[in-house]
Amino acid sequence: MAKIIDGREISAAVKQQIKEDVVSLYKQGIEVGLAVIIVGDDPASKVYVANKEKACEQLGITSYKYALPAETTNEELLSLIEKLNNDKKVNGILCQLPLPKHLDEKLIINSIVPEKDVDAFHPQNVGKIMIGDFDFLPCTPAGVIEMIKYSGIEMSGKKCVVVGRSNIVGKPMAMLLLHNNATVTVCHSRTVNLKEECANADILVVAIGKAKFVTADMVKEGAIVIDVGMDRDENGKLCGDVDFDSVSQKAGAITPVPGGVGPMTIAMLMKNTLTAAKKQNSK
Ligand code: GUN
């Protein structure tokens, strides 16, 4: 049976450190603030946003929530973001994705000033990640790296396979593994011999959004398996992209869903918000 990499435990340790830093800033008269924007009624997004607000509350970070109706226009959203860009109390701005179809996601993301872009989605921050000169790391990939390091797993020289090539997870994940000196392969829906590619991995990171897609025959004996998926199985139960029951019999270590990568993503968002507050107050 694989070692379970416990995201709740690791995120608690990360958050404890953040809380101490938030308190220390507060003593210097600096309050840390995060604005969270949600447009429409997507149930999953509502849960994610509620979890982000809860984490802010736990850590002494002030959260400013903007729940906007699904009919909100680009102009209305841009005008809110401009107001938040200029609000000194707001250190970080997060616009929960996906946005309703009629909204221009690229335009909206680009309108958040890079200094407050705690998701690290703005092209300027994406570019900085590429060259290894970053202020913020994208939350989910950063959370994965933190889990790997915390578990004492070496990345240098290892064969890492990332399944998924999204801008939010797959692409930045590959870049961060590369910064940690791993040899990285990115697989996706058009990859030929996906099974063989996955079975070559010392560290396998799966982010494709398909319930229980990765089965034991796709995993090398003793491999480290990181499951970024948040899916529902045939009974509507929360599960990941990895078939935990079979893969955990073969892997060396594995992250569960829930209780794996999810809590780490939120901890990294809090860390980025703290970094933003520190930088904005050091000028
Ligand atoms: N939707 C799914 N994941 C994320 C995330 O990390 N940030 C934002 N803003 N939206 C998301």
Side-chain angles (χ1 to χ4, degrees):
M1 177 73 188
K3 173 185 178 295
I4 306 296
I5 303 177
D6 185 343
R8 291 196 180 111
E9 178 199 321
I10 305 169
S11 67
V14 172
K15 286 198 288 189
Q16 183 55 38
Q17 183 59 56
I18 296 169
K19 192 173 178 175
E20 286 167 23
D21 284 14
V22 170
V23 169
S24 145
L25 283 181
Y26 189 78
K27 286 181 182 158
Q28 298 165 46
I30 299 164
E31 248 182 71
V32 183
L34 173 68
V36 180
I37 305 168
I38 177 167
V39 187
D41 313 298
D42 179 61
S45 291
K46 279 184 169 176
V47 173
Y48 296 146
V49 165
N51 287 339
K52 289 167 187 178
E53 285 186 279
K54 205 165 90 186
C56 283
E57 198 180 321
Q58 280 174 353
L59 304 190
I61 295 175
T62 309
S63 67
Y64 304 94
K65 183 180 170 186
Y66 296 86
L68 307 180
E71 317 76 67
T72 301
T73 62
N74 280 312
E75 290 69 29
E76 285 164 339
L77 192 46
L78 288 172
S79 143
L80 170 63
I81 291 172
E82 194 190 341
K83 191 181 94 182
L84 298 172
N85 280 340
N86 293 312
D87 185 341
K88 288 215 162 10
K89 293 202 298 294
V90 173
N91 303 113
I93 303 169
L94 176 144
C95 184
Q96 188 66 27
L97 303 180
L99 288 169
K101 291 269 178 296
H102 67 280
L103 291 174
D104 185 341
E105 199 163 285
K106 211 191 291 181
L107 181 73
I108 301 301
I109 286 173
N110 292 5
S111 74
I112 297 173
V113 285
E115 296 76 18
K116 295 191 178 184
D117 168 39
V118 284
D119 264 322
F121 289 168
H122 189 287
Q124 184 175 311
N125 287 325
V126 174
K128 284 183 146 200
I129 291 156
M130 189 87 168
I131 58 174
D133 168 30
F134 37 76
D135 303 311
F136 306 121
L137 287 176
C139 301
T140 299
V144 170
I145 296 289
E146 192 75 26
M147 290 177 109
I148 294 174
K149 285 187 177 165
Y150 187 95
S151 307
I153 296 160
E154 182 59 72
M155 284 172 272
S156 181
K158 295 286 176 64
K159 274 192 182 168
C160 295
V161 174
V162 178
V163 189
R165 54 173 160 177
S166 71
N167 288 334
I168 295 184
V169 183
K171 285 185 212 165
M173 187 73 250
M175 206 49 64
L176 299 197
L177 289 165
L178 195 55
H179 288 329
N180 282 278
N181 300 314
T183 302
V184 185
T185 302
V186 182
C187 296
H188 46 80
S189 54
R190 307 281 176 91
T191 297
V192 178
N193 295 334
L194 179 65
K195 184 171 151 183
E196 286 76 8
E197 295 287 355
C198 290
N200 265 328
D202 300 312
I203 300 174
L204 179 63
V205 182
V206 192
I208 45 165
K210 288 187 185 159
K212 301 184 186 182
F213 180 82
V214 169
T215 44
D217 57 328
M218 299 167 75
V219 174
K220 183 160 83 176
E221 194 81 45
I224 312 301
V225 180
I226 311 284
D227 189 351
V228 182
M230 276 283 198
D231 315 305
R232 298 273 164 189
D233 71 8
E234 58 284 3
N235 302 314
K237 195 170 155 235
L238 194 61
C239 70
D241 291 349
V242 174
D243 179 28
F244 184 88
D245 290 346
S246 70
V247 174
S248 60
Q249 300 302 314
K250 199 171 178 188
I254 188 167
T255 63
V257 177
V261 174
M264 292 304 297
T265 298
I266 295 183
M268 293 299 128
L269 173 68
M270 300 296 114
K271 190 171 171 178
N272 282 346
T273 306
L274 173 68
T275 303
K278 284 182 180 170
K279 281 188 88 85
Q280 286 158 30
N281 285 285
S282 70
K283 285 172 191 160

